[in-house]
Amino acid sequence: MHDCETQRMIDIIYRDDDIVAVNKPSGIKVHRGAYDARRERFVLQLVRDRVGQHLFPVHRLDRPTSGVLVFALNPGAARSLSKSFARRQVRKTYLDVVRGFIAEQGEVDYPLERSETGEVFDKPPRPAVTRFLRLDTVELPIAVGRYASARYSLLKVMPATGRMHQIRRHMSHLRHPVINDRQYGDNNHNRFFSEELNCRRLLLAATELRFPHPRSREETCLTARLDADFSRIMQRMDWEGAIPEAWRASPDSQAVDSVNPRPGTP
């Protein structure tokens, strides 16, 4: 995908003198890492080129996760937002689809290692807490794996901490992995969604972010609409009525797909 096409996919949902917020597509990294290809483009540089000024990252989303992503536009805003995240004054809300019928609500208080690969470290695991609320369920009369039917739950997830891959690792810990999670998920259900439902993206989206504005300190609430891939699944499962209108794909515009390649796409 060309840079101009990717730029068009990155919807700016809010901007003022201190911050800019975008709806990050699934399949693109926030910024460059030590081992990333030089030709690869990232949200940071694409948004920087679009707004024409330097950006200060204050948080991140995993490559396969979509949704609200905020950058500071000046050092003062960056310091203020970083303090808000560190002091847990930021309320993050995600939408995800998991395997099976999970409990109606719950809290996962399970410390996580500093590395998602299971490497051993001298320091102990860090505290990690995730709360969730089940919004809806569906059972499809289709055999996936060793069961005669396939069950899925739609969740509203509120992480109280921000560890690496926290939601994905906590859902896997509960034996209800996020659908299309290639690292922690269920290959049988991932294959079913990819081959039968034409959805390859991770079904995890950062739909809402609440935080004190870095200048006024007033609560700011930003929301991001689901992309076309996620929206198709919501329609297929008859789940659209379970989420706020502000999270749904806009009815008067075509929601964009994620940047995950389709089978056979170069």
Side-chain angles (χ1 to χ4, degrees), residues 44 58 74:
L44 176 65
V58 293
N74 55 68

Side-chain angles (χ1 to χ4, degrees), residues 12-80:
I12 294 178
I13 56 180
Y14 181 82
R15 182 182 179 184
D16 61 23
D17 292 338
D18 297 296
I19 61 175
V20 60
V22 301
N23 188 352
K24 173 195 170 297
S26 171
I28 182 170
K29 294 184 73 172
V30 173
H31 51 70
R32 188 182 305 279
Y35 302 104
D36 293 317
R38 297 298 302 175
R39 66 179 181 274
E40 186 176 358
R41 298 285 276 172
F42 304 88
V43 177
L44 176 65
Q45 63 192 118
L46 291 168
V47 177
R48 178 198 63 202
D49 293 347
R50 187 165 170 186
V51 302
Q53 65 183 103
H54 186 75
L55 302 181
F56 298 82
V58 293
H59 71 125
R60 64 184 297 275
L61 295 174
D62 299 335
R63 180 199 289 265
T65 304
S66 63
V68 183
L69 180 67
V70 176
F71 295 100
L73 295 176
N74 55 68
R79 285 191 297 270
S80 178

Side-chain angles (χ1 to χ4, degrees), residues 11 52 82 109 113-114 127 195 202 237 241 243:
D11 181 30
S82 295
D109 186 350
E113 297 281 354
R114 291 179 180 271
E195 297 178 358
L202 178 73
M237 307 303 182
I243 64 172

Side-chain angles (χ1 to χ4, degrees), residues 217-241:
R217 304 309 294 168
E218 293 181 359
E219 182 178 79
T220 301
C221 178
L222 302 177
T223 59
R225 295 185 182 276
L226 300 177
D227 65 16
D229 289 335
F230 209 137
S231 295
R232 274 196 301 271
I233 297 302
M234 296 293 290
Q235 293 169 5
R236 173 68 174 80
M237 307 303 182
D238 195 24
W239 281 343
E240 286 192 302

Side-chain angles (χ1 to χ4, degrees), residues 160-231:
T161 51
R163 309 307 180 200
M164 175 74 79
H165 299 173
Q166 177 175 311
I167 294 174
R168 298 162 59 188
R169 295 164 75 184
H170 273 174
M171 292 299 106
S172 180
H173 173 70
L174 293 180
R175 302 295 187 265
H176 292 284
V178 179
I179 297 301
N180 281 339
D181 191 334
R182 303 297 193 268
Q183 193 163 353
Y184 310 104
D186 183 312
N187 289 334
N188 290 320
H189 290 269
N190 293 348
R191 189 179 307 111
F192 169 68
F193 270 73
S194 176
E195 297 178 358
E196 302 300 327
L197 301 182
N198 194 31
C199 178
R200 304 182 68 215
R201 65 151 292 173
L202 178 73
L203 289 178
L204 175 64
T207 49
E208 187 173 290
L209 195 69
R210 291 177 180 267
F211 55 94
H213 190 276
R215 186 178 298 269
S216 69
R217 304 309 294 168
E218 293 181 359
E219 182 178 79
T220 301
C221 178
L222 302 177
T223 59
R225 295 185 182 276
L226 300 177
D227 65 16
D229 289 335
F230 209 137
S231 295

Side-chain angles (χ1 to χ4, degrees), residues 107-143:
E107 177 178 293
V108 187
D109 186 350
Y110 180 71
L112 295 172
E113 297 281 354
R114 291 179 180 271
S115 170
E116 74 277 12
T117 61
E119 298 175 53
V120 177
F121 293 89
D122 292 334
K123 295 182 179 180
R126 293 179 291 178
V129 177
T130 302
R131 302 180 181 92
F132 66 87
L133 176 68
R134 194 181 74 197
L135 301 178
D136 213 334
T137 60
V138 70
E139 182 167 8
L140 304 179
I142 301 170

